């Protein structure tokens, strides 16, 4: 199979899986022209949707991280960690939400999009945000061990890169951190 055909088949397979796994269908914007950033007042609303995704991950015994991609005030991609279920180290919430959003957009540039994620992204996910030209990142809880958007490194605002992501930190941080603590304390008790 030619590499292009294999890549297309892979994307088709991944998109089918994510359409099956999501709880609510993402809404494709009716008009992608004249895009604008969501109003920052709605950060808590969208973070609550990311928290709902994190709770799904928690119920499936995954690290409870959830993410949503928003364009023009509409969710166009959702995801939660599936690393254990898929046995895929890259199946982080941010990756999965961005893959679904790319399917809706028809391309992988996330100009004018905002990613809401419950926990600060790791190096891998921060790199994808920069490469995908995500306009804005909003996260809840800081990640002191792996966080790469301000805690350990700050890849998304690195001045030497040709793209930087605007970051809003600490939205619903206590609720996001509480879910993580609940998950890891449950692991320790086992």
């Amino acid at each position: 199979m030619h590499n292009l055909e294999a890549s297309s088949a892979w994307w088709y397979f991944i998109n089918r899986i994510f359409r099956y796994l999501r709880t609510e269908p993402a809404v494709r914007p009716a008009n992608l022209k004249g895009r604008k950033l969501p109003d920052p007042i709605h950060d808590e609303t969208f973070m609550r949707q990311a928290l709902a995704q994190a709770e799904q991950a928690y119920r499936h015994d995954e690290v409870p991280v959830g993410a949503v991609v928003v364009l023009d005030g509409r969710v166009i991609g959702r995801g939660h960690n599936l690393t254990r279920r898929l046995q895929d180290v890259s199946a982080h919430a941010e990756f999965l939400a961005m893959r679904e959003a790319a399917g809706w957009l028809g391309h992988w540039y996330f100009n004018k999009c905002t990613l809401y994620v419950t926990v600060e992204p790791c190096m891998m996910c921060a790199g994808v945000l920069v490469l995908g030209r995500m306009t804005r990142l909003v996260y809840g809880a800081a990640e002191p061990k792996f966080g790469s958007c301000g805690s350990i490194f700050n890849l998304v605002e690195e001045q030497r890169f040709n793209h930087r992501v605007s970051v809003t930190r600490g939205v619903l941080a206590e609720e996001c951190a509480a879910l993580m603590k609940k998950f890891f304390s449950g692991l320790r008790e086992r």
Side-chain angles (χ1 to χ4, degrees):
M1 187 181 279
H2 188 270
N3 283 343
L4 183 58
E5 293 171 4
S7 175
S8 296
W10 183 83
W11 275 105
Y12 175 78
F13 175 72
I14 294 298
N15 281 327
R16 295 293 295 175
I17 289 172
F18 297 129
R19 286 182 188 201
Y20 173 76
L21 293 175
R22 68 181 180 217
T23 56
E24 300 174 25
V27 181
R28 186 173 188 173
N31 181 4
L32 294 178
K33 294 180 181 172
R35 300 177 212 166
K36 61 183 178 187
L37 285 172
D39 189 338
I41 294 170
H42 299 296
D43 284 350
E44 285 189 16
T45 301
F46 292 119
M47 186 60 74
R48 292 208 183 281
Q49 291 188 40
L51 266 168
Q53 290 294 313
E55 288 166 2
Q56 278 189 13
Y58 180 81
R59 285 192 299 272
H60 295 294
D61 203 28
E62 295 276 357
V63 176
V65 178
V68 295
V69 178
V70 174
L71 173 67
D72 287 337
R74 294 184 175 178
V75 175
I76 61 170
R78 303 175 197 280
H80 58 274
N81 275 5
L82 288 172
T83 53
R84 293 177 183 192
R85 182 186 272 183
L86 297 178
Q87 292 296 300
D88 180 357
V89 71
S90 70
H92 288 200
E94 301 92 329
F95 261 62
L96 303 180
M98 290 174 70
R99 283 179 184 162
E100 184 175 299
W104 287 107
L105 291 169
H107 56 79
W108 55 275
Y109 283 112
F110 297 96
N111 297 330
K112 307 292 184 188
C113 291
T114 300
L115 176 73
Y116 292 85
V117 63
T118 57
V119 177
E120 180 182 1
C122 66
M123 277 192 292
M124 176 178 68
C125 295
V128 170
L129 292 173
V130 172
L131 292 173
R133 311 299 195 258
M134 186 68 66
T135 301
R136 186 168 175 246
L137 165 67
V138 179
Y139 71 81
E143 173 42 88
K145 294 183 180 179
F146 294 104
S148 297
C149 299
S151 289
I152 295 177
F153 302 108
N154 193 350
L155 293 178
V156 295
E157 294 177 311
E158 173 58 51
Q159 295 298 312
R160 292 173 287 183
F161 291 153
N162 66 345
H163 177 76
R164 283 163 292 289
V165 180
S166 171
V167 181
T168 302
R169 297 168 175 86
V171 175
L172 300 180
E174 290 178 11
E175 291 177 46
C176 297
L179 188 57
M180 291 290 282
K181 286 177 187 172
K182 181 179 170 184
F183 175 78
F184 285 109
S185 67
L187 280 182
R188 284 186 213 104
E189 290 173 5
R190 290 184 202 166

